[in-house]
Amino acid sequence: MKIESITLREIHMPLVHFFETSFGRVYDRRILLVTAQCEGVTGWGECVSDGAPFYSSEWFDSSWATIQCYLAPMVLGHTLTSAREVLPLMQKVRGHRMAKAAIENAVWDAEARQKQQPLWKLLGGTRKEIACGVSIGIQDSVEQLLDKIQIELAAGYRRIKVKVKPGWDVRVLERIRSRWPSITLSCDANSAYTLDEVEHLREFDQFNLLMIEQPLWNDDIYYHARLQPQLRTAICLDESIHHARDAAQAVETGACRIINIKVGRVGGFSEAKKVHDVCASQNIPVWCGGMLESGVGRAHNIALSTLENFRLPGDVSASKRYWQEDIIDPEVEVTPQGTIVIKDEPGTGYQVREDLIEKLSSRKEVIRPGS
Ligand code: OSB
Ligand code: MG
């Protein structure tokens, strides 16, 4: 499989409802789609970096520039037998994992299409149905949040995760628990607290949460290891885990009992599989995180979630929760039992709507060897 050219596209998609985390509110997304043209097959990938460098230091324009100037030239013209060979070609570039993931995953996608195999099988997955949860952002009022939770529970979702921050936490969790004493509930702080707030975080213990996600600094493992023994609630790390070695360190130090794997955050499917394997060997459950992806990234998250150790419901939910119209066909649908049934077709099992994407693209750049 020779990588002949790489194409970058920018599309703009408004969210059905705003999404707010401890670092801010978004109403729409700039989505960076990456395709790899490989001898007659095209593989699609989505770069999950956000419009602003708030969740991570990567953001839309840095990803575009890094792919254009460095990453694409490193892989173009190479003939590969497997997508596993992509990451080593980009080794010289430090960080920029979301940009790397977009390229690597596009090549995995191309490989699956070329071999006429389901992507999930190529990745080593085993599950034929995956459990879905939802991530619900901070709302204008607690009532609005309770209404949203009600809708998602009625749709069948197996786990509700709510975003928290100082001022929107204990009081909110109390309201949720008094209405639904026994649903599977977790929270995500996106690094909104410090170690001075241990006593406050200990109050979360009364709500019987499945986990608290990333309570402390985005770049920290050590202080989470100091925090975990002081909480009954399991800590789940998201932002802190960039690769398998981070995962090993977090598990060895006792910084968390659960890990959220986002394929973009760790630099692509190969590294995501390594993180998965490290956790499996230490009996640490993982689940698939989301980055408000369009259908392209969503379909990849679904394929990844079929690996054995994805034992907890992921932030893998239906297209319609985010988009009026998704860019894949069919859209991602969730059963009334809160699951996604895995398709047996070659590739992701979802067709990319190339005509719609062409129409939505505000910028397009084709990168060829030597260009
Ligand atoms: O921390 O998991 C997170 C969205 C953007 C940035 C960070 C996070 C999230 C989510 C959304 O929680 C999950 C989804 O895509 O449904
Ligand atoms: Mg998170």
Side-chain angles (χ1 to χ4, degrees):
M1 224 176 22
K2 183 172 177 181
I3 307 180
E4 294 159 335
S5 64
I6 286 176
T7 304
L8 305 182
R9 287 182 180 83
E10 172 170 359
I11 64 172
H12 187 258
M13 288 170 71
L15 290 165
V16 169
H17 184 78
F18 67 77
F19 192 84
E20 183 173 329
T21 62
S22 60
F23 50 80
R25 184 179 282 195
V26 291
Y27 293 89
D28 45 41
R29 297 214 59 230
R30 286 171 80 192
I31 288 171
L32 170 47
L33 296 173
V34 177
T35 55
Q37 286 72 235
C38 314
E39 299 174 301
V41 284
T42 297
W44 286 81
E46 175 171 345
C47 183
V48 300
S49 58
D50 194 15
F54 302 158
Y55 166 82
S56 76
S57 61
E58 290 187 86
W59 64 293
F60 187 100
D61 287 6
S62 78
S63 301
W64 184 294
T66 306
I67 292 173
Q68 185 175 20
C69 301
Y70 293 100
L71 302 176
M74 286 172 173
V75 301
L76 281 168
H78 284 271
T79 299
L80 311 175
T81 54
S82 152
R84 285 166 222 277
E85 294 158 31
V86 173
L87 194 57
L89 295 173
M90 305 186 286
Q91 200 172 25
K92 231 172 119 174
V93 171
R94 289 185 179 166
H96 297 282
R97 293 175 198 280
M98 293 174 180
K100 288 175 179 173
I103 295 185
E104 193 199 302
N105 295 357
V107 179
W108 278 97
D109 197 72
E111 184 181 346
R113 288 166 195 251
Q114 190 223 23
K115 293 184 172 160
Q116 286 290 298
Q117 259 194 52
L119 176 61
W120 64 269
K121 261 191 194 158
L122 200 61
L123 290 170
T126 52
R127 297 177 186 275
K128 300 306 306 287
E129 195 170 1
I130 61 167
C132 306
V134 286
S135 173
I136 308 181
I138 294 165
Q139 306 296 321
D140 288 327
S141 66
V142 181
E143 284 66 35
Q144 196 176 16
L145 176 66
L146 298 178
D147 288 348
K148 288 212 163 294
I149 294 173
Q150 173 59 45
I151 290 167
E152 305 301 4
L153 289 172
Y157 286 101
R158 303 248 181 122
R159 180 271 279 146
I160 301 290
K161 154 175 147 185
V162 294
K163 295 289 186 178
V164 291
K165 66 174 182 182
W168 181 274
D169 51 20
V170 174
R171 185 175 52 89
V172 174
L173 294 168
E174 222 159 49
R175 293 281 301 277
I176 300 171
R177 265 299 179 232
S178 64
R179 179 145 165 205
W180 295 285
S182 58
I183 56 166
T184 304
L185 181 66
S186 68
C187 72
D188 185 357
N190 287 112
S191 311
Y193 300 92
T194 67
L195 210 51
D196 299 337
E197 293 164 292
V198 176
E199 280 315 312
H200 179 64
L201 290 168
R202 283 162 66 95
E203 289 184 54
F204 290 35
D205 279 345
Q206 64 186 295
F207 303 116
N208 186 28
L209 302 175
L210 178 61
M211 69 190 92
I212 175 170
E213 194 177 334
Q214 199 71 35
L216 305 178
W217 305 276
N218 70 290
D219 59 354
D220 171 77
I221 292 174
Y222 179 82
Y223 289 107
H224 281 94
R226 296 265 292 267
L227 175 62
Q228 178 66 93
Q230 303 184 68
L231 302 179
R232 206 168 55 224
T233 308
I235 292 176
C236 168
L237 289 178
D238 172 351
E239 283 90 327
S240 300
I241 307 298
H242 304 103
H243 42 63
R245 193 162 35 76
D246 276 342
Q249 192 181 328
V251 172
E252 269 178 52
T253 56
C256 62
R257 296 191 205 126
I258 299 172
I259 286 180
N260 157 338
I261 299 182
K262 288 180 180 165
V263 60
R265 194 193 65 226
V266 302
F269 282 132
S270 301
E271 195 64 25
K273 276 165 61 67
K274 284 189 192 161
V275 173
H276 166 275
D277 294 349
V278 162
C279 293
S281 74
Q282 303 294 317
N283 200 25
I284 295 289
V286 302
W287 55 277
C288 184
M291 289 291 286
L292 313 179
E293 289 92 346
S294 78
V296 171
R298 208 161 280 276
H300 285 182
N301 291 345
I302 292 168
L304 182 65
S305 303
T306 64
L307 298 184
E308 196 64 36
N309 194 37
F310 281 82
R311 280 185 276 158
L312 296 172
D315 282 345
V316 190
S317 56
S319 297
K320 68 170 184 215
R321 289 193 64 245
Y322 293 108
W323 315 115
Q324 198 86 55
E325 187 177 24
D326 204 345
I327 56 174
I328 53 168
D329 186 31
E331 300 201 335
V332 173
E333 285 186 22
V334 169
T335 66
Q337 291 73 44
T339 63
I340 292 171
V341 178
I342 305 302
K343 298 178 190 295
D344 254 327
E345 291 145 43
T348 62
Y350 296 90
Q351 297 300 318
V352 176
R353 297 177 62 186
E354 301 191 23
D355 293 349
L356 176 62
I357 290 169
E358 214 51 52
K359 227 170 59 191
L360 294 175
S361 296
S362 56
R363 188 154 55 131
K364 177 175 170 180
E365 180 104 28
V366 185
I367 312 160
R368 296 198 171 80
S371 72

